[in-house]
């Protein structure tokens, strides 16, 4: 008599392999790590510094980063088409000079100054588009050249001196105009207690997100950035869309210039110089948000908020200003690690 053999299959373990668990954890860290870093820093400063928790401080933080964030949105658009606009800081500085000249030197109203600044930004974007699309100069080299041309040109226009109300001009006469109260409210005004620059930043962020994520034009920009040759073979006018990205970037940079001009209240010749690095940083940091590994509007906005949290928190703690650069650089490196790790995993 033979013994009965069991026909039941061995029970499968419901516990995932150690390797699979580690992979899931790694993916979660890559996807949500940057958001967690932002939240952790916010909680650290909020719990350790009472002044940081005040609503006025938080609104001032957003107001402070609004210029870099708006410039970063323009950089994000150019990154979407596979480029990089290095002239945004210079264009913002040009906007400050144009606004000051229009109101102080030519004694025009604020509305005229706003239109002149936006036109200057559009022309700067067209110059970049001409160099990149028509003359086929690489994006970064072309926009670096534009940056130096704009910085030098605005100095030539004002004889290297800042434009201030009541200044003596080169011909010995006194400048007749001033910054109008309405224009100054672009930075110093509030609506329902919210600073105007914060509202501008929020509105432009939503508009840029709708454009990039919810319209055909935005999807086309991403397609060009991913593979311009494939986009061209699909019948897309690659040159026209790339030109559009740089013109819009120039206009956004000029909006940042308007806020800077209203903030400073004079035509400071050095305005916009420091904005380039912050704008590029927030756009690059944004690529790591949710592990997307590509430029995106909400990532750029969150990157700007993080920079603001770091700057405000370290300032309240009384740390020297130069430590902020070290911390911001470390955060940028961390964000790029998240972003490029995700990208390599996708292409592996």
């Amino acid at each position: 008599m033979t013994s009965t053999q069991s026909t039941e299959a061995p029970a499968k373990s419901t516990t995932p392999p150690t390797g699979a668990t580690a992979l899931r954890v790694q993916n979660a860290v890559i996807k949500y790590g940057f958001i967690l870093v932002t939240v952790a820093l916010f909680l650290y400063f909020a719990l350790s510094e009472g002044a940081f928790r005040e609503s006025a401080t938080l609104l001032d933080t957003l107001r402070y980063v609004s210029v870099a964030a708006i410039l970063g949105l323009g950089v994000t658009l150019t990154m979407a088409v596979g480029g990089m606009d290095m002239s945004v800081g210079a264009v913002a500085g040009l906007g400050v000079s144009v606004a000051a000249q229009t109101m102080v030197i030519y004694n025009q109203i604020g509305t005229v100054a706003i239109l002149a600044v936006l036109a200057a930004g559009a022309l700067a974007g067209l110059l970049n588009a001409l160099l990149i699309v028509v003359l086929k100069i690489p994006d970064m080299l072309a926009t670096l050249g534009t940056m130096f041309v704009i910085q030098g040109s605005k100095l030539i226009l004002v004889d290297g001196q800042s434009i201030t109300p009541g200044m003596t001009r080169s011909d010995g006469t006194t400048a007749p105009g001033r910054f109008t109260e309405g224009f100054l409210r672009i930075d110093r005004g509030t609506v329902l207690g919210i600073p105007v620059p914060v509202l501008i930043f929020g509105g432009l962020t939503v508009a840029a997100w709708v454009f990039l994520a919810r319209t055909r034009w935005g999807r086309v920009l991403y397609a060009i950035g991913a593979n311009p040759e494939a986009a061209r073979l699909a019948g897309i006018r690659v040159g026209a869309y790339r030109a559009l990205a740089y013109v819009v970037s120039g206009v956004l940079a000029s909006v940042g210039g308007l806020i800077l001009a209203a903030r400073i209240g004079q035509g400071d010749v050095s305005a916009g110089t420091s904005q380039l690095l912050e704008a590029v940083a927030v756009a690059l940091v944004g690529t790591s948000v949710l592990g997307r590994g590509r430029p995106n509007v909400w990532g750029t906005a969150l990157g700007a908020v993080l920079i603001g949290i770091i700057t405000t928190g370290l300032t309240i703690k009384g740390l020297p200003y130069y430590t902020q650069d070290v911390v911001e650089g470390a955060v940028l490196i961390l964000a790029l690690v998240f972003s490029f790790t995700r990208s390599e995993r996708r292409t592996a």
Side-chain angles (χ1 to χ4, degrees), residues 76-108:
T76 300
L77 287 173
T78 59
M79 288 173 62
V81 295
M84 174 70 76
D85 190 353
M86 302 296 289
S87 67
V88 290
V91 175
L94 175 66
V96 174
S97 295
V98 170
Q101 279 198 316
T102 304
M103 287 183 288
V104 176
I105 302 298
Y106 299 111
N107 199 21
Q108 298 295 313

Side-chain angles (χ1 to χ4, degrees), residues 8-301:
E8 295 182 359
K12 294 183 178 180
S13 174
T14 58
T15 303
T18 304
T21 302
L23 183 61
R24 290 176 183 174
V25 172
Q26 184 179 0
N27 286 337
V29 169
I30 294 173
K31 187 172 184 179
Y32 301 107
F34 192 74
I35 296 177
L36 294 176
V37 169
T38 303
V39 173
L41 283 173
F42 177 83
L43 291 176
Y44 168 70
F45 288 124
L47 294 175
S48 62
E49 298 291 340
F52 188 86
R53 297 192 296 269
E54 298 177 1
S55 58
T57 301
L58 298 178
L59 288 175
D60 280 343
T61 298
L62 293 176
R63 175 176 168 270
Y64 166 76
V65 301
S66 59
V67 174
I70 292 170
L71 269 60
L73 292 176
V75 175
T76 300
L77 287 173
T78 59
M79 288 173 62
V81 295
M84 174 70 76
D85 190 353
M86 302 296 289
S87 67
V88 290
V91 175
L94 175 66
V96 174
S97 295
V98 170
Q101 279 198 316
T102 304
M103 287 183 288
V104 176
I105 302 298
Y106 299 111
N107 199 21
Q108 298 295 313
I109 62 175
T111 303
V112 175
I114 292 172
L115 294 175
V117 171
L118 294 177
L123 287 174
L126 283 173
L127 175 59
N128 283 330
L130 172 66
L131 296 174
I132 295 166
V133 177
V134 179
L135 299 181
K136 308 298 183 183
I137 299 176
D139 303 61
M140 189 170 292
L141 296 179
T143 54
L144 276 174
T146 303
M147 177 188 75
F148 287 116
V149 168
I150 291 175
Q151 287 177 339
S153 298
K154 72 177 185 179
L155 290 173
I156 293 174
L157 290 174
V158 297
D159 294 326
Q161 60 181 332
S162 297
I163 302 174
T164 57
M167 66 178 292
T168 301
R169 296 186 291 185
S170 57
D171 59 1
T173 60
T174 301
R178 61 181 179 82
F179 280 78
T180 65
E181 292 299 323
F183 184 88
L184 292 176
R185 278 197 288 271
I186 294 175
D187 178 71
R188 305 175 189 182
T190 60
V191 177
L192 300 177
I194 302 176
V196 171
V198 177
L199 294 174
I200 295 174
F201 163 38
L204 290 176
T205 299
V206 173
W209 171 73
V210 170
F211 176 74
L212 274 180
R214 292 292 184 267
T215 67
R216 175 184 177 274
W217 300 290
R219 291 190 290 272
V220 168
L221 292 182
Y222 278 126
I224 292 172
N227 193 328
E229 183 60 24
R232 185 186 65 80
L233 294 176
I236 295 174
R237 299 174 62 188
V238 173
Y241 279 98
R242 294 186 74 196
L244 173 65
Y246 280 95
V247 171
V248 174
S249 178
V251 172
L252 288 173
S254 68
V255 173
L258 287 171
I259 297 174
L260 271 181
R263 182 172 299 174
I264 300 170
Q266 64 178 9
D268 189 343
V269 293
S270 64
T273 303
S274 63
Q275 300 299 323
L276 169 62
L277 294 180
E278 289 188 352
V280 172
V282 299
L284 289 174
V285 164
T287 62
S288 69
V289 174
L290 295 178
R292 293 181 179 178
R294 70 174 188 175
N296 68 92
V297 170
W298 292 117
T300 298

